[in-house]
Amino acid sequence: MTDLEKLGEPLSIGDVTIRNRVFLAPMSGVTDEAFRTRAYAHGAGLVVSEMVASGELAKGRGSSGFRIRHSGLPVHMVQLAGREAAHMAEAARIAVGEGADVIDINMGCPAKKVTGGYAGSALMRDLDYALTLIDAVVGAVDVPVTLKMRLGWDDDVLNAPDLASRAEQAGVRMVTVHGRTRCQFYQGKADWRAIARVKQAVSIPVVANGDVTTPEDAAGILDQSGADAVMAGRSHYGAPWTAGMIAAAAGRGAATGVPRSSSELADYVVAHYEDMLVLYGIESGLRQARKHLGWYLDRHTTELPDELRRRVLTSFEPQQVISSLREALAAFGESTFERNAA
């Protein structure tokens, strides 16, 4: 069996079975219910909620409760971030009460607003403290707990193998490693070979993340890391079917529901837009959808007139947005679409 073919096999996280080994990464402001259901329908093996602030969820504030809502998919995985053990434990209990099958702990987010609060990848600077959060979550729930991390804080602190090993001893059932340090953010090339040191340090499944866009990337990251699964994130911008197409290349059959022409793409994007308006309500949905519409235009159009792009991204009238979207995408050549769909 080749590395790529391995991705088509099921994977167990504790007593939870995942249908294949190509995962959609949790992305704040991106992987909401409308996006996750699409990615899963296209064939992604696992999809994860947006990162949820544990303190906000524990205190019942903001949109945190909305973010953990069960979307009806076979496996509901919720990612939590935070710095207080009590909040992390309570948030995990709330998420499980809402139907979460797996709880993921975020120790990889590089955003300043997260690390400035001593959460996300900032926790990799103090593994003893990080373990208090892991212990709290594992002790609070009966479902599998997983962990997402980076290689370390910077090139002087590449402690992902140590954190993974200690997390496994604490009861974590799977670790995901993004092949960059926090200080790299998303610059440069992810170091796939460095993830191998994490794989060698644990016996639980390891998921390799970072710069996975194509089936060839997926095969390459598996070869260099020895990981058990792959996770793709930003390559889904404007292409929610990315993980599904990689899984299909691994031998799971054709990806389901991928648009194959500009007219199908227009219908697809309009449907995604309308689903977001239903999910958030018109006023908020208009704003939430704009980044997605921009990504679709960036990926699937060329030489789009500025005025047409402006109408798509600034109009407050849903019908005008839809008509402008169709106009923009209809101008895109069918023969070029196949090159940009993957």
Side-chain angles (χ1 to χ4, degrees):
M1 181 183 297
T2 66
D3 285 324
L4 187 59
E5 289 172 339
K6 182 172 74 172
L7 292 177
E9 296 298 306
L11 179 69
S12 294
I13 307 174
D15 58 359
V16 176
T17 300
I18 310 303
R19 63 181 181 177
N20 68 57
R21 302 179 182 217
V22 188
F23 304 162
L24 168 67
M27 293 179 282
S28 185
V30 180
T31 54
D32 58 18
E33 183 177 329
F35 200 93
R36 296 196 307 274
T37 54
R38 275 174 169 70
Y40 191 83
H42 293 309
L46 180 67
V47 298
V48 191
S49 78
E50 300 174 76
M51 180 179 67
V52 178
S54 60
E56 296 297 297
L57 182 58
K59 296 173 184 177
R61 296 176 179 172
S63 61
S64 54
F66 173 77
R67 289 187 172 196
I68 67 167
R69 188 173 70 181
H70 201 301
S71 57
L73 299 178
V75 177
H76 182 42
M77 186 170 180
V78 172
Q79 187 185 74
L80 300 175
R83 61 180 179 179
E84 300 291 340
H87 289 162
M88 289 289 286
E90 179 61 17
R93 284 190 285 266
I94 293 170
V96 171
E98 291 295 320
D101 300 295
V102 182
I103 299 294
D104 187 57
I105 301 173
N106 183 307
M107 293 190 182
C109 180
K112 186 175 181 180
K113 66 180 180 180
V114 176
T115 59
Y118 206 62
S121 57
L123 291 163
M124 298 193 74
R125 303 179 76 175
D126 187 345
L127 298 195
D128 288 340
Y129 188 77
L131 263 292
T132 67
L133 305 184
I134 293 171
D135 286 336
V137 175
V138 171
V141 296
D142 293 327
V143 303
V145 175
T146 64
L147 177 65
K148 193 170 190 293
M149 67 181 79
R150 289 198 163 216
L151 296 176
W153 177 258
D154 57 25
D155 287 339
D156 295 325
V157 188
L158 299 175
N159 54 2
D162 190 13
L163 176 56
S165 177
R166 295 179 67 177
E168 179 182 18
Q169 294 172 33
V172 163
R173 299 298 189 92
M174 183 179 78
V175 295
T176 299
V177 187
H178 184 110
R180 291 182 174 87
T181 65
R182 183 272 174 180
C183 290
Q184 284 181 274
F185 285 85
Y186 296 100
Q187 301 300 312
K189 181 75 172 67
D191 188 347
W192 295 346
R193 293 189 184 281
I195 300 172
R197 293 193 288 272
V198 178
K199 176 60 181 173
Q200 293 159 6
V202 298
S203 60
I204 55 177
V206 173
V207 184
N209 175 222
D211 298 340
V212 176
T213 301
T214 65
E216 292 74 23
D217 294 334
I221 199 171
L222 284 184
D223 176 61
Q224 294 185 34
S225 68
D228 302 281
V230 301
M231 179 175 281
R234 292 170 295 147
S235 57
H236 285 84
Y237 290 179
W241 48 81
T242 297
M245 294 190 77
I246 294 173
R252 305 308 295 176
T256 304
V258 179
R260 297 293 181 181
S261 67
S262 58
S263 59
E264 288 183 8
L265 177 65
D267 290 340
Y268 182 98
V269 176
V270 168
H272 188 178
Y273 177 66
E274 292 176 334
D275 284 351
M276 292 192 72
L277 298 184
V278 172
L279 181 64
Y280 293 102
I282 298 296
E283 183 177 351
S284 178
L286 283 166
R287 297 191 304 272
Q288 296 285 346
R290 283 171 178 161
K291 57 180 169 288
H292 292 279
L293 300 184
W295 291 329
Y296 283 121
L297 295 178
D298 289 343
R299 183 182 285 262
H300 302 292
T301 65
T302 55
E303 300 180 1
L304 187 68
D306 290 342
E307 173 59 22
L308 182 53
R309 183 183 179 86
R310 185 192 65 78
R311 292 205 310 270
V312 171
L313 299 182
T314 64
S315 174
F316 288 93
E317 296 294 334
Q319 288 307 313
Q320 184 180 64
V321 173
I322 290 171
S323 63
S324 298
L325 268 174
R326 290 194 179 281
E327 181 182 349
L329 296 171
F332 189 50
E334 300 280 341
S335 61
T336 316
F337 179 77
E338 290 293 335
R339 175 171 53 83
N340 285 272

